Amino acid sequence: MSRNLFLKNWTLESSGFSVKTNRAYEGLFTQGSGYLHVRGSLEEPLPNDSQANTYLRMPANVTAEKFIEGKSKWGTYIPGLFGNHPTLGREMINLPYSLGIVLKAGYEQLNMETSEVHEFSRMLDLKNALLRRSFRWQTKFGVEILVVFDRFVSQARPGMIFQRVEIISDKDINLNIQGGIDSDVRTSGFDHFKKVNFACVNSQILACDVNTDNDENIQVATEFVADGVEWICKIGERAAEFNSAFLLQAGKKLILEKRSAYSTSRDTADSSATEKLKSSACQTWKSLLHEHCQIWNRWWDACDVTITGNREDQDAIRCAMYHMLRSQSCGDTRIAVDAKGVAGDAYFGRYFWDTEMYLVPFFTYTMPSRAKDLTDFRIQSLEGARQNAKKYGYPGARYAWESDDKGNECCPCWQYADHEVHVTADVVYGIAHLDRAVPEWKYLEKEAAEVVVETAKYWLSRMNTRDGDDFPSLLGVMGPDEYSPISNNNAYTNNMVRFVLELGSRVGLSGGATEKEVELFSRMAEKLPIPRKDDLILQCEDFEKKADPLFEQFWPDRSGCYASAVSQERLYRSKNLKQADVLMMMFLFPNRFAKSQIELAWDYYLPYTTHDSSLSACVHSIIANRLDKCKEAYEFWEKGAFLDLDIEHGGASQGIHIAAAGGVWQMVIMGFAGMKTAFETDFFTLTPRLPETWRCLSFTVVWKGVPLFVEIDRREIKITNRGEKALDVFVGESFKVMPGQCKVIDIQEYR
Amino acid sequence: MSRNLFLKNWTLESSGFSVKTNRAYEGLFTQGSGYLHVRGSLEEPLPNDSQANTYLRMPANVTAEKFIEGKSKWGTYIPGLFGNHPTLGREMINLPYSLGIVLKAGYEQLNMETSEVHEFSRMLDLKNALLRRSFRWQTKFGVEILVVFDRFVSQARPGMIFQRVEIISDKDINLNIQGGIDSDVRTSGFDHFKKVNFACVNSQILACDVNTDNDENIQVATEFVADGVEWICKIGERAAEFNSAFLLQAGKKLILEKRSAYSTSRDTADSSATEKLKSSACQTWKSLLHEHCQIWNRWWDACDVTITGNREDQDAIRCAMYHMLRSQSCGDTRIAVDAKGVAGDAYFGRYFWDTEMYLVPFFTYTMPSRAKDLTDFRIQSLEGARQNAKKYGYPGARYAWESDDKGNECCPCWQYADHEVHVTADVVYGIAHLDRAVPEWKYLEKEAAEVVVETAKYWLSRMNTRDGDDFPSLLGVMGPDEYSPISNNNAYTNNMVRFVLELGSRVGLSGGATEKEVELFSRMAEKLPIPRKDDLILQCEDFEKKADPLFEQFWPDRSGCYASAVSQERLYRSKNLKQADVLMMMFLFPNRFAKSQIELAWDYYLPYTTHDSSLSACVHSIIANRLDKCKEAYEFWEKGAFLDLDIEHGGASQGIHIAAAGGVWQMVIMGFAGMKTAFETDFFTLTPRLPETWRCLSFTVVWKGVPLFVEIDRREIKITNRGEKALDVFVGESFKVMPGQCKVIDIQEYR
């Protein structure tokens, strides 16, 4: 696999610069703090690369959409700051860019495309979330200048970015440094800024005040910190900057800092951007970095996974975890994690089922409170879900396929918005999963019960009992497979809804349901059918009546996705699957299906599955492990674990595949280590099947409140209880691991 | 029925002015010449009623769309002049408005909303296509002024509009008259004008030159003609006008003319707008009107229908015919008739299946050459249909659901564009229908054969033979019923495609098919299934597996359409029909279905049919007549014949329901007179079932080249052969009517 990336311990490194791969690195090198995220764009612009291109994006299927792209894509995001797009609904706004630092040596301005640069290296330190760029710049006038840029988005100080540049020249040069705030940026071609004002707060601080089309206010402040450098402030209509020119003597190291801060009308704390800057004024770079790293180190302690024997796989899992840790909302339950991990505009900064299916599990078993942030987001947006139900003519609550912070449906494509209703049940699954993993919170006895009841009420009303049928049906739905837009009794959806109704019958009274309703939940849950033909679970009624997709004829070149090779119309009438659908159901409800049934479904659906969705490979890898198909399990790992690292094929250009990142973690922990989820069992259960190249796999998780450390190699499994309660384990047999104890299990023996 | 309309012989008249009904009258009073159409807007603007409101219309189902509407909607259209809309595709452009004449008496400017006006009357003379408005204007200063406006869009001089105003005041007044060209208009909220220039050509002629976003050029010229009045020209950015102020003496009649001309870069003749004006300069109003009326009188001679006994019904059929005659392209085969009869922007000026199903029949039996214009339009846009097929991955030709002049698919809603494929077969039906009606043209042996072959090739490739089936299927289609978006083996579509393939097997060799292909057409035609359950034709496979629409629950108030009462998602999974689907098929292929089958389908589908489409009632009325359900036939007539006349409910606000107008004619001729089409039989066949109130029905048609006149009353049918060939007739029995002969058939006798 050629990924154009050098992977070292804890770092992702790129050597050499190319315009072609620039956007992929920008996405991959995104830094963030929960509050604020910035793509890994260069400090200086590329030539002829406006960030202000305006165009009208139309409703489309993002999978198959061709994006209008420049050489780079600046992206600065505060999750929850949504604007109104005329064709696409509410979307997360791309904020003013404050990273800019432009260097000019004599008459030559540095840029990565045309300047002569040697020993270029760019690396993201995953452990500390620190981004460094270093190179030697050979100017046209024969001067060699060593430049090193460092930056981090402070985890300790929400909304603050710290940058540093070191410059050493081999000759005396007239150095010119510019940098400020550029608000002439667009969100996927659209300008959400209604009013922009700039002010020079003092000789060092430049401030920008923006009102959005959604009447939110954003403040950005930036300052340069450098001994003995004088700055001139220039204010334009959409951008403002500081400027300084001075002589840099040969061999003398210039160290310059740029500090930026963001604040918004959404903030719960009331420091303005300028106040944030001022309150950090007496802190050194070192101390600021230190407090930042401390948090990151604590996070990694709670979740790190090591893979010995395969460096690429090691880095894939660390990269995935880095971005999940970065994207978490750190306690802000007004937001969740959007589909691009706050690293791009492509999915509008909206929240999908990705949250419950792909992200909640990672946090549930590493930092359960952060998982609760995500499920609490659904509880606090219940009112939005109620409004959605009402708009469609139903009682209860109906979660949005593409949710904004308030739970409003923002999806502009009706086939998903109208029909992909399973998200409403997935939300409950996520809550129930967390509840089983952390039973002491009694989540489902309290605030979450209302979500169960309200969604169950929606489901009752969404069902039809057709003429001649003695059972209810869910008609006109789209399952996880988005290539089957309007189908009847989708097995995944029905099974998920059955689960919700069953749960509703158990916890309904706590959630405000009447006894009659509770009884009805139970009765309908039993009756909702799972379509099958003998032992084969059918994706939906009449799945077999669809056309053969004829992949050989229409999809000879598999470098692109199938959806781009054929018309949507052919897609919608054929047996092609975008991603796991029946298998996704079996992945989530392993106890409900016999192994032989899963095998049958695997054999039947796999030949039809295009894996056009980035969410497909991980589920297939995990199922393959469960079926002892170790070769396939690793093949799907390779297909799914490197999406963002696959620079040559675009990687994270449009943002991080954050749900797939959750899938990467699940492939390792639930797939290769074979950990059962708390949804399945109360015992910490492992069935390891390490890939050939992996000598050892170790990881930290929390099981029912007990932190523990697991080491797996070819011979044995070691489970260390790092908590204060006894741990119930099942590996071959059931036993207890006591606090502080390290239990060693001989793999040969239990097999 | 309260239609707020006074219907007199040959005129539609409105008394009283109301802002609420203004737009409906504008649509209803549209005048046009094939080349140019103008809505019946007032000469002077209403207060605070900008025509320049800009907004972004989004893809939607026009049936359920809420339009943004001002008090009036100026509309000036030249069919075929399309612009590029960012969200909706190509659309017909609303052109600069040249009708404006603003009167000011002293300080008071006339407007219909606030001025004191008595004896207001507005009437459209259908026979001569002349629009008159007259009223007495009582000014605040105690002056009474009689004003009469007349205008016509010249049928004799393409692109020219002639207006006249007569003014008599009871006191001396200072009269100010303004009028010019206003290009500050929008097409459904969008500005298609890239560049606008004005010029005063001379002291009398004002010219406007517009370049569109599609790089077409439009020229408009206007002049006032009035003895002894001096004009001052004022040019603004988007509008220009002449202005004159003078004393009008009490009792003296002022007669003023305004003449306007349009020319475009699409024209085949090369007179500019200004040249058109100049070449009419020496013609008087009377002579210009005379040459115009001559053409209209000739048209009416070829098609008039008289209904004695029910004045409203008489006017409904005349109104329908007026708009069809007006909308015809008069020999320009580069265009067809758009869905709003060139009287509004709502359907983007595009061509639908309406052409073949609803308009071709009227012209086929009244002015066959004009029917051929419409079918020739499909032949000349075959290349566009080929491109559409290619875009979807098919060989052959695939006609657009919403076609522009080039045959491009412009429909922005994928469910229609992708799935409502039956239009491709409907096009061939239209051609075949005309071919059978006018066999001497040998249309299908010549140019039209290629359309049959190319579309047949598309159909072969569009079919799938599913695993386990021994027959081909058309999967994932939308039939005429647009509430069933993606269905399998829609009976209407399959039957229509069978017909095309059968035809292809007969005329294929003339159209460039190989013998092998011709043989394949024939084989596949036989195999394509028409789904049924016992004797009931099913609209599609699994129609019965849809949900009950529960009209009582969700649609208690039937004043709005069902689609507005429920979500699209419920619509798409329920048995609700928008319009006739199986019955439409039976209407078009009467010989293929037994009466008992039609009765069964009627009984089964009618309770599910919402008639949300304006195309539903007419088919139901005709079928009801065939089933001897005379009461229902007339009920559906009443439902379908007055759409544009139903001012209180919006009527023609957004344009004329031109397909429904074709339906009105068909209800009378094919329904109540029971004329079989040439598609069914070679004999001129009648089975009259006159509604109770109709004493006599007479009409003129052409049958296989023979013009004839039919009179039907309670006792007898008179058929007069006005042609030069013998006419084969079947009424009770078959016989011949010789040229000049009037054959009288006693109805009691043959029954």
Side-chain angles (χ1 to χ4, degrees), chain A residues 498-515:
Chain A
R498 280 170 74 146
F499 166 72
V500 174
L501 292 173
E502 285 159 11
L503 191 63
S505 75
R506 289 206 305 278
V507 306
L509 295 178
S510 320
T514 62
E515 292 208 0

Side-chain angles (χ1 to χ4, degrees), chain B residues 256-451:
Chain B
L256 182 88
E257 280 185 49
K258 190 180 183 197
R259 298 177 173 191
S260 304
Y262 289 73
S263 67
T264 81
S265 51
R266 285 188 84 253
D267 294 356
T268 45
D270 54 359
S271 308
S272 72
T274 309
E275 284 162 1
K276 288 183 187 183
L277 277 189
K278 288 180 178 167
S279 73
S280 304
C282 54
Q283 301 291 325
T284 62
W285 170 266
K286 200 175 156 189
S287 69
L288 290 164
L289 183 59
H290 179 73
E291 64 181 17
H292 164 77
C293 293
Q294 272 189 317
I295 298 175
W296 271 95
N297 291 343
R298 211 159 57 232
W299 286 353
W300 281 113
D301 285 347
C303 70
D304 191 31
V305 176
T306 63
I307 294 170
T308 319
N310 189 316
R311 172 51 44 91
E312 286 199 336
D313 293 350
Q314 168 69 82
D315 285 296
I317 178 72
R318 284 240 175 88
C319 175
M321 285 194 287
Y322 163 80
H323 282 294
M324 285 193 285
L325 291 172
R326 170 183 63 75
S327 305
Q328 58 166 308
S329 69
C330 302
D332 188 347
T333 62
R334 299 174 304 164
I335 52 171
V337 179
D338 82 291
K340 284 295 175 192
V342 217
D345 317 336
Y347 279 80
F348 323 111
R350 296 184 194 140
Y351 315 122
F352 293 67
W353 72 318
D354 306 21
T355 308
E356 279 71 20
M357 296 294 111
Y358 297 90
L359 300 171
V360 163
F362 166 70
F363 289 111
T364 294
Y365 297 105
T366 55
M367 301 159 80
S369 297
R370 298 290 78 83
K372 189 163 178 291
D373 290 347
L374 294 174
T375 51
D376 279 352
F377 165 73
R378 298 299 194 174
I379 294 173
Q380 70 83 33
S381 62
L382 178 61
E383 186 48 36
R386 279 206 187 93
Q387 291 307 317
N388 291 337
K390 204 171 163 191
K391 270 183 214 149
Y392 278 91
Y394 300 102
R398 180 191 194 282
Y399 281 90
W401 179 246
E402 298 187 13
S403 175
D404 66 6
D405 55 331
K406 306 289 183 209
N408 296 313
E409 179 63 83
C410 299
C411 175
C413 298
W414 64 261
Q415 65 266 47
Y416 312 112
D418 286 5
H419 298 279
E420 205 159 359
V421 288
H422 64 79
V423 62
T424 294
D426 302 335
V427 162
V428 173
Y429 184 98
I431 287 170
H433 188 174
L434 181 61
D435 175 68
R436 290 196 192 171
V438 195
E440 63 268 31
W441 284 343
K442 299 187 190 307
Y443 202 31
L444 274 173
E445 291 172 31
K446 292 188 289 189
E447 64 267 40
E450 198 180 354
V451 170

Side-chain angles (χ1 to χ4, degrees), chain A residues 394 464 466 545 569 573, chain B residues 394 464 545 569 573:
Chain A
Y394 300 103
N464 294 100
R466 295 174 293 196
K545 288 207 182 161
E569 163 256 298
R573 71 166 184 272
Chain B
Y394 300 102
N464 293 100
K545 287 207 182 161
E569 163 256 302
R573 71 165 184 271

Side-chain angles (χ1 to χ4, degrees), chain A residues 25-46:
Chain A
Y25 281 114
E26 281 182 325
L28 183 63
F29 289 165
T30 298
Q31 294 169 290
S33 67
Y35 178 93
L36 172 72
H37 301 261
V38 286
R39 280 168 66 89
S41 304
L42 301 171
E43 280 76 6
E44 70 284 344
L46 293 168

Side-chain angles (χ1 to χ4, degrees), chain A residues 58 87 392 394 414-415 418 462 464 466-467 475 542 545 547 567-570 572-573 575, chain B residues 58 87 392 394 414-415 418 462 464 466-467 475 541-542 545 547 568-570 572-573 575:
Chain A
M58 295 294 293
T87 60
Y392 279 91
Y394 300 103
W414 63 262
Q415 66 266 47
D418 286 5
R462 180 62 177 72
N464 294 100
R466 295 174 293 196
D467 287 350
L475 305 177
D542 302 325
K545 288 207 182 161
S567 65
Q568 179 179 284
E569 163 256 298
R570 183 182 294 282
Y572 279 4
R573 71 166 184 272
K575 278 180 190 160
Chain B
M58 294 293 294
T87 60
Y392 278 91
Y394 300 102
W414 64 261
Q415 65 266 47
D418 286 5
R462 180 63 177 72
N464 293 100
R466 295 174 292 197
D467 287 349
L475 305 177
E541 279 181 16
D542 302 325
K545 287 207 182 161
Q568 179 179 283
E569 163 256 302
R570 183 181 294 280
Y572 279 3
R573 71 165 184 271
K575 278 180 189 161

Side-chain angles (χ1 to χ4, degrees), chain B residues 51 138 174 199 253 349 400 407 496 529 553 577 604 653 677 724:
Chain B
Q51 298 294 321
Q138 196 79 39
N174 286 313
K253 185 191 281 186
M496 200 52 114
Q553 185 179 343
L577 273 68
Y604 183 80
S653 297
T677 70
E724 288 160 9

